[in-house]
Amino acid sequence: MATEEIEQQQNKTKHKGKHDKPKPWDEDPNIDRWKVEKFDASWNEGGMLEVSSFSTLFPVYREKYLQDAWPVVKSALKEFGIACDLNLVEGSMTVSTTRKTKDPYIIVKARDLIKLLSRSVPAPQAIKILDDEMQCDIIKIGNLVRKKERFVKRRRFLVGPNSSTLKALEILTGCYILVQGNTVAAMGSFKGLKQVRRIVEECMMNKMHPVYNIKILMMKKELANDPALANENWDRFLPKFKKKTVKQKKVKSKQKKPYTPFPPPQPPSQIDIQLETGEYFLSDKKKSAKKWQEKQEKQAEKTAENKRKREAAFVPPKEPPKQDTNIDGDNNDIATMAKALKEKAKALGKRKAAESINPEAYIASSSDQKHFKKRSKASS
């Protein structure tokens, strides 16, 4: 079993890429794969065998404009052998092939023409779609954003102040762009339409602002003019924009009450309250007297409160309490301190006097005193 599986794998790898061999025209620099060759009537001399038709509805506000511009549209389609009809009752436009139609793809172009006319594209601009090199793309933006306010804000980003952002995109991509309602109609080359779709979707989905895409397209245009960088990767030259995350306020979730299968108690009615208080059984005179009494009590409370508020303005503010100073205690403390200082000074004086005594002078003075005493005795 194992050997059979190995042989099957070898057979598979053997035939892999058998028809993927490089062709001589794959890497031919002279071939432009984006170019659409112009149709020649000699390619289809027999014409169309079957009739193909397309129809589309248009809004009421476009009726007057289409009615005025329809002769121009009809003459433009007649050159390619396409019949067109404007039905004002149903509010629809129809295009169909005739025996004179040679180009089989022109009916698709005519279908795009009536689509663009119904989406507010001017007739002279919409007729350009009949050229082989011109393509169109209708981008639906209504379902990309949920909230209407957010949708209008992001669509305003795409248009820009005085349509400046839209004009810059038209110049850089080489496409005609029209923002109308929930759609964006674009006309141009395949390459330009691809760029326009990416920019519009990124703007509406809040991935990147159109201004940043315009900066990238401008840098790519500058790099394309440099032949030295034609075959190199441009990622190192292009700016990288980081999306700033704005901290949103946390929504405080309400605590759910515990579920109970029993309904809440019914609040008492006015009659129930009167029955409880006994007011229900009172006569009309007593009821009115009670009401009047309650009114008088409320009025008296209100007047007393107002009077208290008026008198509060004339009440003098309370003075801060004086600090109690203990005078006797302070005097006693001062006396004790003075006494202690005197004692210290006296002791210090005695110490200094003992240190400054001369012993010889002391002895001499003491001997003189004795002789003086003896003399005094002898004289007596």
Side-chain angles (χ1 to χ4, degrees):
M1 290 293 288
T3 55
E4 288 177 3
E5 288 176 1
I6 292 164
E7 286 177 2
Q8 286 177 2
Q9 288 178 359
Q10 286 177 355
N11 292 332
K12 283 181 182 177
T13 53
K14 188 177 180 181
H15 295 288
K16 186 180 179 181
K18 184 179 180 182
H19 303 289
D20 297 340
K21 292 178 182 178
K23 311 296 189 299
W25 55 83
D26 283 347
E27 297 179 358
D28 190 357
N30 298 323
I31 297 172
D32 187 9
R33 289 173 178 78
W34 288 101
K35 188 180 178 182
V36 180
E37 294 183 8
K38 195 174 181 180
F39 180 78
D40 191 3
S42 61
W43 296 351
N44 187 16
E45 292 178 354
M48 307 296 289
L49 298 174
E50 293 290 337
V51 176
S52 301
S53 64
F54 292 99
S55 62
T56 185
L57 300 172
F58 60 86
V60 179
Y61 62 85
R62 290 287 289 169
E63 186 177 331
K64 184 72 173 70
Y65 177 80
L66 289 172
Q67 200 172 359
D68 295 340
W70 197 249
V72 180
V73 176
K74 197 170 185 178
S75 61
L77 290 170
K78 194 176 182 181
E79 294 177 8
F80 298 94
I82 297 291
C84 58
D85 180 36
L86 177 67
N87 192 341
L88 297 175
V89 178
E90 295 178 358
S92 64
M93 293 179 284
T94 309
V95 288
S96 58
T97 56
T98 60
R99 289 185 179 181
K100 294 180 181 179
T101 308
K102 302 293 182 182
D103 186 359
Y105 192 72
I106 198 67
I107 187 65
V108 180
K109 292 274 189 180
R111 179 200 66 183
D112 293 340
L113 170 63
I114 59 174
K115 271 189 182 180
L116 293 168
L117 287 170
S118 66
R119 293 181 186 276
S120 300
V121 178
Q125 179 65 35
I127 289 167
K128 292 179 183 178
I129 196 66
L130 298 173
D131 297 338
D132 290 332
E133 294 179 358
M134 186 70 71
Q135 309 298 327
C136 79
D137 188 13
I138 294 165
I139 307 157
K140 293 180 180 180
I141 58 174
N143 57 350
L144 296 177
V145 187
R146 287 183 181 179
K147 291 185 179 179
K148 190 176 180 181
E149 295 83 5
R150 198 174 290 172
F151 170 76
V152 172
K153 189 179 179 182
R154 290 180 188 173
R155 189 176 62 180
R156 204 184 300 126
F157 289 158
L158 190 63
V159 177
N162 298 323
S163 302
S164 57
T165 309
L166 209 62
K167 286 173 187 174
L169 287 171
E170 284 180 352
I171 292 164
L172 291 167
T173 57
C175 297
Y176 171 81
I177 306 168
L178 178 72
V179 181
Q180 177 72 20
N182 293 336
T183 57
V184 177
M187 292 174 63
S189 61
F190 284 114
K191 192 176 180 182
L193 291 174
K194 193 177 178 182
Q195 290 175 341
V196 170
R197 177 172 275 275
R198 181 176 56 80
I199 292 164
V200 169
E201 287 179 353
E202 282 182 356
C203 175
M204 296 308 295
M205 293 169 75
N206 202 25
K207 287 184 178 178
M208 191 180 287
H209 198 279
V211 173
Y212 299 141
N213 275 312
I214 287 166
K215 287 180 180 178
I216 291 167
L217 288 172
M218 288 172 72
M219 292 191 75
K220 282 183 178 178
K221 200 171 184 180
E222 290 288 329
L223 292 165
N225 295 331
D226 193 353
L229 301 170
N231 298 323
E232 289 188 18
N233 191 9
W234 294 345
D235 288 344
R236 57 197 173 101
F237 300 109
L238 299 175
K240 293 177 182 178
F241 302 103
K242 290 182 180 179
K243 189 178 176 182
K244 292 180 180 179
T245 53
V246 181
K247 290 184 179 179
Q248 295 181 351
K249 291 181 179 179
K250 291 182 179 179
V251 180
K252 293 181 180 179
S253 59
K254 293 181 180 178
Q255 292 181 352
K256 290 184 178 179
K257 294 179 180 178
Y259 172 73
T260 54
F262 306 105
Q266 191 175 0
S269 64
Q270 194 71 23
I271 296 168
D272 294 337
I273 295 165
Q274 287 178 0
L275 285 166
E276 285 177 7
T277 56
E279 191 182 345
Y280 184 78
F281 303 102
L282 296 173
S283 62
D284 293 338
K285 284 185 179 181
K286 288 182 178 179
K287 282 180 183 179
S288 59
K290 191 178 180 182
K291 282 183 182 178
W292 183 79
Q293 190 179 354
E294 287 175 357
K295 192 176 180 182
Q296 290 294 322
E297 286 175 1
K298 285 181 182 178
Q299 195 172 356
E301 287 177 6
K302 195 74 177 175
T303 51
E305 190 180 346
N306 292 337
K307 189 178 180 182
R308 190 169 57 254
K309 285 181 181 178
R310 285 196 299 271
E311 289 175 355
F314 301 101
V315 175
K318 290 183 180 180
E319 295 181 0
K322 292 181 179 180
Q323 293 180 356
D324 295 333
T325 55
N326 193 1
I327 300 165
D328 298 336
D330 290 346
N331 291 336
N332 293 334
D333 292 341
I334 292 163
T336 51
M337 284 173 68
K339 194 175 181 181
L341 286 168
K342 282 178 181 179
E343 287 176 358
K344 282 182 182 179
K346 199 172 181 180
L348 188 66
K350 285 179 180 180
R351 198 184 300 161
K352 284 184 178 179
E355 288 174 359
S356 61
I357 291 170
N358 189 2
E360 294 177 359
Y362 181 76
I363 294 162
S365 61
S366 61
S367 60
D368 290 339
Q369 285 177 3
K370 286 176 181 178
H371 289 297
F372 178 74
K373 284 179 180 178
K374 286 177 180 177
R375 285 175 185 172
S376 62
K377 284 179 180 180
S379 60
S380 62

